[in-house]
């Protein structure tokens, strides 16, 4: 299966992943962050057996939404980001933040020079890694008993009539709906639910133990401009022909304006935890 944006576990589409860097600043402004409690919970999990400051490796740092949050809690973060345009935004953000080192490159080929970490985390990015090597690479860079934390956001439109209208708009302009998107009905089983591919792959690897799954729910409001920016930050939309994307987003904006110019979104953040054997 070809890997699709924030979808299943297949081999990642490198060209599709690269579209984020085309609009790194817009991505940074549009994408929401993650709940504060999630970072506290991960840090508590990672401190098991760790002495002093937690040393973390981040895979697919993007523009630093999670990077900065961990650094604010005193975590030392080495952040790997394959797209130099995204890495440049992160480097600017961390200019006045101690404890963050940005390493452009691919996680699969990055050389840690023998360094082992207390924590490996990946926010909204682990599905882009190569399934043939990602787990063995994770094991190799974690100390014995080191923690693995993988998390993603899902967004849902809470206004059902608006959701249906926006779905109809997409149907008029696109041959297929975007996978795993804000257009999906609620409730639905997320691809990152408790029994999702992440858990299945971790259970199949005897090097990991203490598997855990937690879900956090938050809500926020988006303006017409804000919802268009969020959609544009997703690779499915960035991969569309420019004219199609422009006309689709114009119709999305018209529809949202007709509903008062705002969209209420419920965000569910799924967290997967694991630990290497001591």
């Amino acid at each position: 299966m070809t890997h699709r944006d924030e979808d299943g576990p297949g081999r990642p589409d490198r060209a599709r992943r690269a579209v984020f860097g085309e609009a790194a600043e817009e991505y940074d402004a549009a994408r929401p962050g993650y709940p504060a409690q999630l970072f506290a919970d991960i840090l508590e999990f990672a401190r098991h057996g760790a002495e002093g400051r937690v040393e973390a490796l981040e895979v697919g740092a993007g523009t630093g939404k999670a990077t900065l949050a961990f650094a604010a809690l005193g975590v030392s973060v080495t952040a790997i980001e394959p797209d130099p345009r995204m890495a440049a935004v992160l480097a600017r953000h961390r200019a006045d933040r101690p404890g963050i080192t940005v390493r452009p490159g691919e996680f699969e080929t990055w050389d840690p020079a023998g360094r082992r970490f207390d924590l490996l985390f990946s926010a909204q990015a682990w599905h882009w890694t190569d399934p043939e090597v990602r787990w063995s690479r994770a094991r190799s860079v974690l100390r014995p008993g080191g923690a693995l934390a993988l998390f993603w956001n899902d967004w849902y439109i809470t206004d059902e009539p608006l959701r249906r209208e926006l779905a109809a708009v997409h149907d008029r302009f696109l041959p297929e709906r975007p996978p795993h998107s804000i257009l999906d009905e609620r409730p639905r089983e997320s691809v990152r639910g408790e029994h999702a591919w992440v858990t299945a792959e971790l259970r199949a690897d005897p090097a990991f133990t203490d598997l855990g799954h937690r879900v956090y729910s938050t809500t926020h409001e988006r303006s017409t401009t804000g919802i268009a920016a969020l959609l544009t930050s997703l690779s499915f939309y960035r991969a569309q022909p420019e004219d199609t994307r422009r006309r689709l987003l114009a119709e999305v904006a018209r529809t949202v304006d007709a509903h008062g110019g705002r969209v209420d979104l419920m965000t569910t953040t799924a967290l997967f935890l694991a630990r290497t054997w001591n």
Side-chain angles (χ1 to χ4, degrees), residues 58-69:
E58 180 178 13
V59 176
T63 60
K65 298 286 186 179
T67 322
L68 299 174

Side-chain angles (χ1 to χ4, degrees), residues 97-119:
R97 302 287 185 95
I100 300 175
T101 303
V102 182
R103 299 295 188 200
E106 303 274 355
F107 168 63
E108 293 86 345
T109 57
W110 177 72
D111 182 8
R115 188 177 178 190
R116 305 291 286 273
F117 296 85
D118 303 309
L119 167 66

Side-chain angles (χ1 to χ4, degrees), residues 186-213:
R186 297 179 53 242
R188 63 168 168 77
E189 175 63 23
S190 169
V191 296
R192 284 176 287 277
E194 182 178 1
H195 304 291
W197 62 271
V198 181
T199 300
E201 292 187 6
L202 281 169
R203 284 178 176 163
D205 192 321
F208 292 99
T209 185
D210 293 350
L211 273 60
H213 177 262

Side-chain angles (χ1 to χ4, degrees), residues 162-243:
L162 175 58
R163 186 199 68 80
R164 288 197 300 266
E165 288 188 38
L166 289 176
V169 167
H170 281 70
D171 291 343
R172 291 202 300 272
F173 286 93
L174 301 173
E176 63 176 352
R177 297 263 190 95
H180 194 57
S181 77
I182 66 172
L183 301 175
D184 294 341
E185 295 184 39
R186 297 179 53 242
R188 63 168 168 77
E189 175 63 23
S190 169
V191 296
R192 284 176 287 277
E194 182 178 1
H195 304 291
W197 62 271
V198 181
T199 300
E201 292 187 6
L202 281 169
R203 284 178 176 163
D205 192 321
F208 292 99
T209 185
D210 293 350
L211 273 60
H213 177 262
R214 304 179 189 182
V215 176
Y216 307 79
S217 294
T218 54
T219 57
H220 69 283
E221 181 181 293
R222 288 273 173 154
S223 66
T224 299
T225 302
I227 199 65
L230 176 60
L231 296 181
T232 305
S233 78
L234 298 169
S235 72
F236 176 88
Y237 294 87
R238 298 222 50 88
Q240 298 302 318
E242 183 177 355
D243 183 61

Side-chain angles (χ1 to χ4, degrees), residues 17-76:
R17 185 178 68 180
V19 302
F20 295 117
E22 297 172 359
E25 296 288 352
E26 291 86 346
Y27 177 100
D28 185 53
R31 287 290 182 107
Y34 305 92
Q37 187 60 49
L38 172 139
F39 297 106
D41 290 346
I42 293 173
L43 192 53
E44 180 182 4
F45 186 79
R47 287 193 186 283
H48 176 79
E51 298 181 1
R53 190 175 191 179
V54 170
E55 302 282 336
L57 178 69
E58 180 178 13
V59 176
T63 60
K65 298 286 186 179
T67 322
L68 299 174
F70 272 116
L73 294 174
V75 176
S76 176

